[in-house]
Amino acid sequence: VLLGFSDLPNLQGLLFGVLSIIYIIILTGNSLIIILTRLDPTLQKPMYFFLANFSSLEICSVSVTLPRILVNLWTQDRSISVLDCAAQMCFFLILGATECFLLAVMAYDRCVAICGPLHCPLVMTPKVCLQLAVGSWVSGIPVQTGQTRWIFSLHFCHLNEINHFFCDIPPILKLACGDTFAHAPSVCVAVLLVAAVPFILILASYSKIVCTILRLPTARRAKAFSTYSSHLLVVLLFFGSATITYLRPKSRHSAGTDRLLSLFYTVVTPTFNPMIDSLQNKGVIAALRKLLLKV
């Protein structure tokens, strides 16, 4: 049983309405980016190819959790089968890993574009871009499938109430019997593989970008910074909220705080990502204007 927002009985209708609007905004905004990058010839570049992948990922990620939340709020039936719960967690973790790798790939693409613009067409060929995108989507599958299998192989203490609005690792582990500390190394390995390594690659890419930009004339620095500042903000929002959620000391975990943080990075962040990563992009804005003029 997903308790979700059952402790707010008077706000069920309001929550359903607000979350429905947010879901429509996420689907519309990200779908529009995908359409623009497919139709506009000026957007046939690696940066926009990865941006379209990122928008597709945002749609998939939010669709793993938000529709279930909306159904629970509408029907007030919060039950979920063990298989459905395991599937939801597995897809959520896989798509989270995909986001880590894809953000690293996007940082590398922008590093190549800024640090070696003449070599960019030779390095970021369509074949390489496709390989990097596919690699980002599939790299987390074996790790996160194994982690989900391990979590649901634990012995649970005849408890079936999950104090959360979707099946996530912390609330599920709270239902397990005994001390789960012995299994912490496997969780740490998974985090290192799918989060720490991409984050280090992102830091390396942006360090090189900053060093390159600082060598440019002052007049060109602002334009160069603007090409990657929006992506950096998306990276900080994603890794910041995920780090606070999963790497906080166990003593500081509380159901209310966990739900609030999870709501932030599963619902709020995907809502703003299209605006952050696209509306500051002159190419996307120009393509949107052309599309609206045609309509």
Side-chain angles (χ1 to χ4, degrees):
V1 179
L2 290 166
L3 296 181
F5 302 101
S6 58
D7 56 338
L8 302 170
N10 298 326
L11 297 177
Q12 300 293 296
L14 178 63
L15 285 169
F16 178 82
V18 170
L19 291 176
S20 296
I21 293 170
I22 288 174
Y23 190 40
I24 292 169
I25 291 171
I26 292 171
L27 293 179
T28 305
N30 286 291
S31 297
L32 187 60
I33 292 171
I34 295 168
I35 292 168
L36 288 174
T37 54
R38 292 285 294 177
L39 296 181
D40 197 294
T42 62
L43 301 184
Q44 305 306 308
K45 298 175 183 177
M47 180 173 72
Y48 300 109
F49 170 74
F50 293 124
L51 186 59
N53 271 268
F54 189 72
S55 293
S56 302
L57 175 63
E58 294 287 69
I59 291 173
C60 294
S61 296
V62 79
S63 296
V64 169
T65 56
L66 203 45
R68 167 70 68 171
I69 297 170
L70 293 173
V71 169
N72 292 350
L73 288 169
W74 181 258
T75 64
Q76 295 298 302
D77 178 14
R78 298 182 174 87
S79 61
I80 183 171
S81 70
V82 175
L83 183 60
D84 286 348
C85 188
Q88 186 184 53
M89 179 187 285
C90 188
F91 281 112
F92 178 75
L93 293 176
I94 288 171
L95 293 170
T98 300
E99 186 155 356
C100 291
F101 289 118
L102 193 56
L103 286 171
V105 168
M106 292 170 76
Y108 171 71
D109 168 60
R110 297 186 187 195
C111 179
V112 173
I114 292 174
C115 301
L118 297 178
H119 296 97
C120 190
L122 300 175
V123 176
M124 303 301 290
T125 62
K127 182 180 179 181
V128 170
C129 290
L130 182 61
Q131 290 172 340
L132 289 171
V134 172
S136 299
W137 281 92
V138 303
S139 294
I141 293 175
V143 176
Q144 302 296 22
T145 303
Q147 185 165 229
T148 304
R149 186 172 178 273
W150 162 72
I151 290 170
F152 280 87
S153 67
L154 294 172
H155 180 61
F156 294 96
C157 307
H158 306 291
L159 299 172
N160 70 335
E161 290 188 345
I162 303 168
N163 198 358
H164 210 46
F165 52 83
F166 72 98
C167 294
D168 200 6
I169 294 176
I172 295 292
L173 287 180
K174 286 180 181 178
L175 302 182
C177 292
D179 187 11
T180 57
F181 183 75
H183 302 282
S186 61
V187 177
C188 289
V189 170
V191 170
L192 283 172
L193 287 173
V194 304
V197 172
F199 186 67
I200 291 169
L201 293 173
I202 290 170
L203 286 179
S205 296
Y206 279 118
S207 298
K208 191 171 182 181
I209 288 171
V210 170
C211 291
T212 302
I213 289 175
L214 291 176
R215 291 197 294 266
L216 293 174
T218 308
R220 293 178 58 193
R221 285 181 190 175
K223 184 180 179 181
F225 271 117
S226 67
T227 61
Y228 83 91
S229 57
S230 57
H231 178 256
L232 184 58
L233 182 57
V234 171
V235 169
L236 292 174
L237 282 172
F238 175 75
F239 280 98
S241 56
T243 299
I244 294 170
T245 301
Y246 293 107
L247 299 182
R248 291 196 334 274
K250 196 174 181 180
S251 59
R252 295 189 179 181
H253 276 268
S254 68
T257 307
D258 286 349
R259 280 187 300 172
L260 188 63
L261 288 169
S262 296
L263 194 66
F264 181 80
Y265 76 81
T266 57
V267 177
V268 178
T269 303
T271 306
F272 289 105
N273 279 348
M275 291 179 275
I276 294 170
D277 221 357
S278 303
L279 294 183
Q280 292 185 13
N281 189 302
K282 292 181 180 179
V284 174
I285 294 172
L288 180 61
R289 283 175 181 162
K290 282 194 285 184
L291 182 66
L292 292 174
L293 288 173
K294 286 181 181 178
V295 175

